[in-house]
Amino acid sequence: MKIGILALQGDFHEHQNCFNKLSVETQLVKSVSEFDNCDSLVIPGGESTAISKLLVNTKLDKAIIEKASEGFPIWGTCAGLILISNQIIENDPVPLKLINITTSRNYYGRQIDSFVEKILFEKENFEAIFIRAPKIVDFEKDIELLSLTHDGTPVAVKSKNILGTSFHPELTDDLRIHKMFIDMTENK
């Protein structure tokens, strides 16, 4: 099993470090040929507009959409969540439309407005780090809500082979969400 991590821009090394701690082989993905050698893909946090443009330039956007429709596991964190959304309130960038959610970019403010909030994940506290985080403002019936904030806003969602988190699990030592994605990859 090899988990791909989109490495066009963003905090891909942090995800790689988490999977290394779990002794899982990873592939940094910058091309379609590298993507084709993976069993799943993480789209990390970063700058969603820049990542979107690079996805189009490398033709990875089409490859990701095609594989996702075949049941290939994809996990988007923060900017990655924006990119996998069905719709973005701000209408830019153009999303991949992999999961039936609507997001709002940088909803929680600028870098200076970053915060940490304890959320429940699998019935235990998880210290979620929100940095220029998107908000899930709407979702369809097929969406499984995995975690909510104190005010009931969904921040971790899943639908079939697609996982999304509006926060950065890769910046913590809590590897439960990475383990969940490993399970999704093994059981695809």
Side-chain angles (χ1 to χ4, degrees):
M1 174 182 65
K2 187 185 293 184
I3 293 180
I5 305 167
L6 189 68
L8 299 175
Q9 192 269 340
D11 64 343
F12 49 88
H13 285 297
E14 289 78 359
H15 278 288
Q16 189 175 41
N17 290 338
C18 291
F19 289 118
N20 287 345
K21 289 176 187 174
L22 295 167
S23 302
V24 173
E25 186 179 0
T26 58
Q27 167 73 53
L28 294 180
V29 173
K30 296 180 182 178
S31 68
V32 172
S33 61
E34 291 168 336
F35 177 56
D36 287 340
N37 291 320
C38 298
D39 299 299
S40 61
L41 181 71
V42 176
I43 303 175
E47 210 295 303
S48 59
T49 303
I51 296 171
S52 176
K53 288 177 181 175
L54 293 166
L55 284 172
V56 172
N57 290 344
T58 58
K59 300 191 181 357
L60 276 162
D61 59 336
K62 291 183 174 93
I64 291 169
I65 291 166
E66 183 180 330
K67 277 198 172 188
S69 71
E70 298 167 356
F72 188 87
I74 307 279
W75 176 18
T77 64
C78 198
L81 174 76
I82 294 166
L83 292 168
I84 65 173
S85 298
N86 190 47
Q87 186 176 344
I88 301 167
I89 293 292
E90 294 79 9
N91 294 319
D92 185 49
V94 176
L96 298 170
K97 300 184 180 203
L98 304 182
I99 187 168
N100 288 322
I101 61 172
T102 300
T103 55
S104 179
R105 294 177 62 210
N106 303 331
Y107 180 86
Y108 294 102
R110 299 170 4 161
Q111 192 94 7
I112 198 165
D113 301 312
S114 301
F115 63 98
V116 176
E117 180 175 327
K118 282 192 167 99
I119 59 172
L120 280 181
F121 182 79
E122 296 179 332
K123 299 180 183 175
E124 291 183 32
N125 280 337
F126 189 101
E127 212 166 82
I129 300 171
F130 294 84
I131 303 170
R132 295 177 50 221
K135 181 177 183 176
I136 299 169
V137 295
D138 196 16
F139 54 92
E140 299 296 326
K141 294 177 188 169
D142 66 325
I143 300 300
E144 181 182 351
L145 304 179
L146 302 175
S147 277
L148 308 172
T149 59
H150 69 282
D151 66 356
T153 300
V155 292
V157 293
K158 182 175 180 283
S159 180
K160 298 176 189 158
N161 56 308
I162 309 297
L163 176 64
T165 53
S166 60
F167 55 95
H168 290 272
E170 73 280 8
L171 299 180
T172 73
D173 292 326
D174 191 331
L175 300 175
R176 285 179 288 155
I177 300 175
H178 285 82
K179 287 177 187 172
M180 171 185 270
F181 192 64
I182 292 167
D183 290 344
M184 287 174 62
T185 303
E186 289 176 333
N187 298 317
K188 69 176 182 175

